[in-house]
Amino acid sequence: MDSDAPDAKRARLSALISKTKSVSDMETALLLLKNSLTDKAALLKELLLILEKPNCPLRDRIILECAHIDLDLGNTSKAVELVNELLTSYPASIYAENALGVLAWSAFSSENETPQYAQAGKYLEKMAAMTKNEKKAAEIKLMAADCLYLEGDYEIARISYQNLYKNKNLERFKGTMLNRLVDCLIKTGKVDEACRLIDNAIAERKISADDIWAAQWNLINRSEEHTSELQSRPHI
């Protein structure tokens, strides 16, 4: 009888997941099911069986969970297929933002391919546009800018970083943004602008000495024709 108890529990949880209209009940049931089925492949199989049942009220949430499991299992293409189904079948879903996050992550970790940073950035921009929390939206936009930087699209990355540089929600990332922005300015031939940016950062005293020094060193290291001028600039 004891050996049947876990199976009976999972059956009840699966039934609840397939029938509930309550988001909170769904989240609780999914958590309990994940705790009772630690084998992710077995959990995925269970959820896929639930998806085969008709009239499942929160089918979009189950699809998203399956996509997350597929990512964990390294099945990137299957995860992409699932979230594309979610976005196509349920465009107004409250889980659409999360689905875009899966697509962005999938673009980073494409199976046997070079990471698709530009595509990931596009998904992140869409995700940011859907996010109601201003701080979270700003952080997602910063990740999108980082994607452009990693892609090597330094001009567009420069514009993105400049738009975000004074965002109060991103104060803790300002040192990192300074260095990325300086690098973009150097690579797009705007060395004088990079110098002014560092001078302003020194004057504002809102960025750590280490981050400012790293930006200065980048200028000195990358801009030989400006080395003598830069070495005479004030340090902190």
Side-chain angles (χ1 to χ4, degrees), residues 101-115:
V102 172
L103 289 175
W105 180 256
S106 299
F108 273 124
S109 56
S110 297
E111 295 169 345
N112 303 317
E113 293 180 13
T114 302

Side-chain angles (χ1 to χ4, degrees), residues 16-23 26-27 30 47-67 81-90 93-96 99:
L16 176 60
I17 290 169
S18 67
K19 295 176 182 178
T20 186
K21 295 181 181 179
S22 166
V23 172
M26 170 65 82
E27 295 303 326
L30 281 173
L47 292 175
L48 289 173
L49 286 173
I50 294 172
L51 284 177
E52 292 178 2
K53 297 178 181 180
N55 304 319
C56 184
L58 293 177
R59 192 170 186 276
D60 50 347
R61 177 63 182 91
I62 303 169
I63 292 173
L64 179 65
E65 191 65 36
C66 289
E81 184 179 336
L82 283 165
V83 291
N84 278 330
E85 178 189 348
L86 190 160
L87 292 168
T88 301
S89 302
Y90 308 95
S93 170
I94 62 172
Y95 305 109

Side-chain angles (χ1 to χ4, degrees), residues 180-230:
R180 288 285 173 91
L181 185 48
V182 164
D183 200 40
C184 288
L185 288 166
I186 293 170
K187 288 173 176 172
T188 54
K190 299 176 175 64
V191 176
D192 289 341
E193 191 174 341
C195 292
R196 288 194 296 272
L197 181 68
I198 293 174
D199 287 345
N200 289 337
I202 293 172
E204 289 176 357
R205 296 185 176 276
K206 291 183 179 180
I207 295 177
S208 74
D210 287 342
D211 283 328
I212 289 177
W213 169 242
Q216 289 177 316
W217 181 251
N218 193 6
L219 270 173
I220 294 169
N221 199 38
R222 297 288 190 91
S223 310
E224 291 182 0
E225 69 275 19
H226 292 265
T227 298
S228 59
E229 173 193 348
L230 292 166

Side-chain angles (χ1 to χ4, degrees), residues 40-41 44 68-75:
K40 290 187 177 181
L44 179 61
H68 282 150
I69 298 169
D70 268 323
L71 277 185
D72 289 342
L73 293 173
N75 302 326

Side-chain angles (χ1 to χ4, degrees), residues 124-125 128-129 136-146 160 164 170:
L124 288 169
E125 284 287 356
K136 183 180 177 182
E139 291 179 356
I140 295 171
K141 286 180 181 178
L142 179 56
M143 287 191 285
D146 288 340
S160 296
L164 295 168
L170 297 174

